[in-house]
Amino acid sequence: MAASSPAIHTVDLSKRFGSTVALTGLSMTVPRGEIFGFLGPNGAGKTTSVKLLLGLLKPTSGEAWLLGETIGDLKTRNRIGYLPELFRYQGWLDAREVLALHCELAPLERSTWKEEITKALATVGLTDRADDRVSTFSKGMQQRLGLAAALLGRPELVFLDEPTSALDPVGRHDVREIIRGLSARGTAVFLNSHLLSEVEQVCDRVAVVDHGRVIASGTMDELLSGTAVRVRVGGLDGAARTKLAGFGPLDDEGEHLTFTKLDVERVPELVSTIVALGGRIYEVAPRHQTLEDRFLQLLHEEEKS
Amino acid sequence: MLVVSLAPAADVAKYAADLGAETLVPPVLVFARLTIQEASRRRLLLALLVLTLLVVGFSAWGFHKITTVTRSDGTLLPPTQVTLITSQLLIVVTFMYSGVLALSAAVVAGPLISSEVESGLLLSMLARPVRRSEVVIGKWLGLAVLVFVYAAGSAFLELAAVNWATGYLPPHPIELVLYVAAEGLSLLSLGLVLSTRLSGITGGVIALVAWLMAWIAGVVGDIGAGLQNSALQNVGTISHLLLPTDGLWRGAVYAMEPDVILAALRAAGTAGRANPFSAVDPPPNAFLAWVVVWFALMLTLAIWSFRTREI
């Protein structure tokens, strides 16, 4: 197929495990070179989606294409990189050997292995540990190694399933840089994550999934067009708080109440209502919706429906 | 069925041609090499080597003792009797070797696939252009090489030691190695099938119990032959078909029996058959053909089972 075919295209992809619906009606398109964030709470169907796309699971219904080829196509896989959520590598090999194994299975021309491995190790910051057995690696280092394996051979599409779950803040920063670098060279990245700030900082587009369904999707700008209002308040009991339901979805953190989608024009009304309910206001801060605001709003709406 | 198991082999040539890189190793061989490498790096091979050398050393000393034993009149045992005792003792020692091989094969094969699925080790590899059949056949092949090398290596050392100590060599040493190796391969194949679906411990235990049951069923069949009871005899025959380990063990026993023993067993008639450490006849050709089919069935089953498993 033409190189212009999207990196990922799915139509009504669904997966059931017995009577459990893991994913239902996933339809989406991820263009080449885009960083696509797949967001959702734990158990929403994110990993299932990745496994379906990689052909590790068979869909119950629906269709999907990666780089223009039907999912499960063997040859397409040498253009794809994958860092699983459950990452584990041969403890009895050293880091360089693990990467050589992946070069061999990819398969890459043997003459390119050395350079590919050296480059991948440098990218993830494991050059110093290249000749150490993987069994001596920390969880974070193993995740870096998995990322290195996913980068081998300049893939056109990379799946990263919770790529920073074992990493410290520096590691997370590094991963964001790596993802941006991939996108810059034209590689599409499918980023599975429940870390909203991570997604917000790197992704071009996002789909939010919950209970196996995509509940919202779009570019960051489309998704985060609204305003959120954060209020620091005292003296409001539970009953009073429920009376604030008219102001939209509320993230109640005790002293701090965040109205995750509220027009700025309604702020004076909100303030007078809180005061009328006996609340004491210390601070009111309208702001652009963050992904977290939007995410909580979406989950809230999803729960109500 | 054969299409399934042969597909990866046929792919090998196409694979290299497709990529125009003759230096690339097909995935089947990559997984075979990885399996051998793991056994070696985890020091399984070293442990087996050390233990085998210990057993060979002790048994050499034991066999040598047979030649130095004196009778009540102070004379040494005559050579024919040394041969007789040595041949019987060798069968018992070989039973231990075949047991070690069978147990090791079952224990190693049990978690071969399941543990790597559970730990996630296979996930990133299966996302490469690799067929599941290539994983199964590659792992089987790697362990099969180890089983064969162990059977041949330990037999060579043990027979050399026995020959040095007593001057005795069993009549068919090559067949002996092949039968013992095939017995190990049977348990390896069964363990592999189980490991596509069950956890490592469960698969290993089932394979071990199956091995012991097949051995007992073989004894029951022998007793049936001795008593000329067809129901009991059938137990032995059916067990040989379901899991050919005991049938193969009898082949190994036959390969170790000198003519004088065979003559004695034949003279004893049906009573001479009722013994798991004896064999009057070599395994029939039909049985050997079945063993080949059985291996193909097990591999096909393992491939099908792993292919249809969601991971």
Side-chain angles (χ1 to χ4, degrees):
Chain A
M1 269 232 201
S4 58
S5 53
I8 303 174
H9 182 61
T10 73
V11 179
D12 237 359
L13 204 59
S14 301
K15 179 66 186 175
R16 280 169 178 282
F17 295 103
S19 60
T20 311
V21 177
L23 187 73
T24 176
L26 176 67
S27 297
M28 63 176 183
T29 303
V30 178
R32 300 268 182 158
E34 187 175 278
I35 306 174
F36 187 85
F38 206 54
L39 267 180
N42 294 329
K46 302 191 299 290
T47 294
T48 300
S49 305
V50 169
K51 286 185 173 178
L52 281 172
L53 292 173
L54 285 166
L56 296 171
L57 291 174
K58 286 202 169 57
T60 311
S61 63
E63 288 178 287
W65 294 264
L66 296 187
L67 306 169
E69 302 291 339
T70 321
I71 47 169
D73 178 66
L74 218 55
K75 271 196 158 177
T76 321
R77 293 190 189 166
N78 62 14
R79 299 188 277 152
I80 293 171
Y82 172 43
L83 168 65
E85 181 189 26
L86 186 60
F87 55 88
R88 174 88 185 270
Y89 298 88
Q90 289 79 358
W92 38 274
L93 292 179
D94 65 39
R96 207 183 287 279
E97 288 171 326
V98 168
L99 295 181
L101 172 65
H102 279 267
C103 284
E104 196 163 23
L105 293 175
L108 303 180
E109 289 270 6
R110 197 174 279 268
S111 57
T112 65
W113 290 10
K114 200 173 171 206
E115 193 195 335
E116 284 287 342
I117 293 170
T118 308
K119 214 167 59 185
L121 285 168
T123 307
V124 301
L126 278 182
T127 306
D128 295 346
R129 302 293 305 266
D131 298 313
D132 292 343
R133 289 269 173 102
V134 175
S135 55
T136 65
F137 280 21
S138 69
K139 205 84 180 127
M141 284 160 63
Q142 287 206 36
Q143 196 161 30
R144 283 171 184 266
L145 178 63
L147 189 57
L151 300 179
L152 292 168
R154 297 183 69 95
E156 293 166 48
L157 169 62
V158 173
F159 288 91
L160 304 178
D161 199 348
E162 306 284 3
T164 58
S165 59
L167 297 181
D168 57 23
V170 178
R172 290 180 181 194
H173 174 264
D174 291 350
V175 169
R176 285 198 294 274
E177 285 305 305
I178 291 168
I179 292 174
R180 288 192 190 105
L182 284 170
S183 174
R185 76 180 194 202
T187 300
V189 179
F190 188 92
L191 175 64
N192 244 7
S193 184
H194 62 266
L195 296 176
L196 301 163
S197 59
E198 182 173 288
V199 171
E200 195 169 6
Q201 288 180 57
V202 295
C203 290
D204 302 313
R205 268 182 338 120
V206 169
V208 181
V209 60
D210 190 32
H211 295 301
R213 271 183 346 104
V214 172
I215 53 176
S217 66
T219 62
M220 278 297 181
D221 288 343
E222 283 166 1
L223 221 56
L224 308 179
S225 56
T227 336
V229 177
R230 189 172 164 88
V231 182
R232 189 153 77 85
V233 67
L236 274 188
D237 58 14
R241 281 164 199 243
T242 55
K243 288 184 183 148
L244 296 171
F247 293 95
L250 169 64
D251 180 22
D252 187 344
E253 294 174 303
E255 195 183 345
H256 286 104
L257 302 179
T258 305
F259 296 85
T260 53
K261 187 167 171 47
L262 185 67
D263 197 331
V264 183
E265 293 303 312
R266 292 191 68 196
V267 170
E269 183 193 345
L270 172 68
V271 170
S272 58
T273 309
I274 292 175
V275 171
L277 288 168
R280 294 186 305 279
I281 296 177
Y282 300 100
E283 190 182 343
V284 179
R287 65 168 192 231
H288 280 298
Q289 239 185 347
T290 63
L291 191 55
E292 183 170 331
D293 296 329
R294 180 68 168 136
F295 186 67
L296 292 172
Q297 175 205 339
L298 286 165
L299 293 188
H300 179 85
E301 287 168 4
E302 174 74 1
E303 234 169 74
K304 276 208 301 196
S305 68
Chain B
M1 173 190 84
L2 283 175
V3 177
V4 172
S5 50
L6 289 178
D11 276 349
V12 171
K14 188 172 167 289
Y15 188 84
D18 271 0
L19 294 150
E22 58 290 335
T23 50
L24 284 171
V25 179
V28 168
L29 297 184
V30 173
F31 283 102
R33 189 198 64 213
L34 209 56
T35 308
I36 295 173
Q37 207 174 9
E38 180 175 5
S40 158
R41 295 252 176 116
R42 286 188 188 276
R43 302 199 187 131
L44 176 65
L45 299 188
L46 183 66
L48 280 176
L49 180 69
V50 170
L51 290 174
T52 304
L53 288 175
L54 275 176
V55 173
V56 167
F58 277 122
S59 63
W61 175 79
F63 279 108
H64 183 65
K65 277 282 162 208
I66 300 172
T67 61
T68 57
V69 167
T70 49
R71 293 182 291 187
S72 50
D73 59 0
T75 57
L76 291 172
L77 289 172
T80 49
Q81 217 158 359
V82 169
T83 299
L84 210 64
I85 298 173
T86 303
S87 71
Q88 294 305 289
L89 190 58
L90 182 62
I91 289 174
V92 177
V93 171
T94 305
F95 184 68
M96 185 219 71
Y97 278 108
S98 81
V100 167
L101 192 58
L103 296 178
S104 307
V107 167
V108 175
L112 209 51
I113 287 179
S114 56
S115 72
E116 295 194 359
V117 169
E118 282 160 22
S119 71
L121 197 68
L122 270 178
L123 278 179
S124 58
M125 291 197 279
L126 285 176
R128 300 288 179 192
V130 167
R131 288 174 216 275
R132 297 206 185 171
S133 55
E134 290 169 331
V135 177
V136 172
I137 295 177
K139 283 174 175 285
W140 184 86
L141 196 63
L143 270 193
V145 167
L146 291 180
V147 163
F148 189 78
V149 166
Y150 177 79
S154 60
F156 175 79
L157 291 173
E158 185 62 46
L159 294 185
V162 170
N163 188 249
W164 165 82
T166 66
Y168 171 78
L169 259 189
H172 310 290
I174 305 286
E175 284 88 337
L176 167 63
V177 170
L178 292 176
Y179 282 122
V180 170
E183 191 185 351
L185 275 186
S186 309
L187 277 177
L188 152 63
S189 309
L190 177 65
L192 187 66
V193 171
L194 298 170
S195 94
T196 57
R197 293 284 167 151
L198 302 173
S199 82
I201 292 175
T202 314
V205 167
I206 293 176
L208 281 184
V209 172
W211 175 62
L212 287 171
M213 282 174 65
W215 190 71
I216 299 287
V219 175
V220 171
D222 282 343
I223 293 170
L227 299 174
Q228 292 179 316
N229 177 311
S230 61
L232 291 181
Q233 262 180 301
N234 286 342
V235 170
T237 310
I238 291 169
S239 80
H240 281 186
L241 294 179
L242 289 178
L243 181 64
T245 45
D246 186 60
L248 291 164
W249 162 245
R250 299 310 174 93
V253 171
Y254 182 81
M256 286 184 281
E257 286 171 332
D259 289 340
V260 52
I261 294 277
L262 279 175
L265 286 171
R266 287 188 180 123
T270 52
R273 294 168 193 268
N275 176 351
F277 297 104
S278 74
V280 180
D281 304 301
N285 286 335
F287 172 73
L288 296 180
W290 167 248
V291 171
V292 174
V293 173
W294 187 89
F295 279 128
L297 278 175
M298 285 295 123
L299 262 181
T300 310
L301 187 60
I303 290 168
W304 172 81
S305 170
F306 187 43
R307 202 181 257 177
T308 50
R309 174 169 180 179
E310 300 202 294
I311 62 173

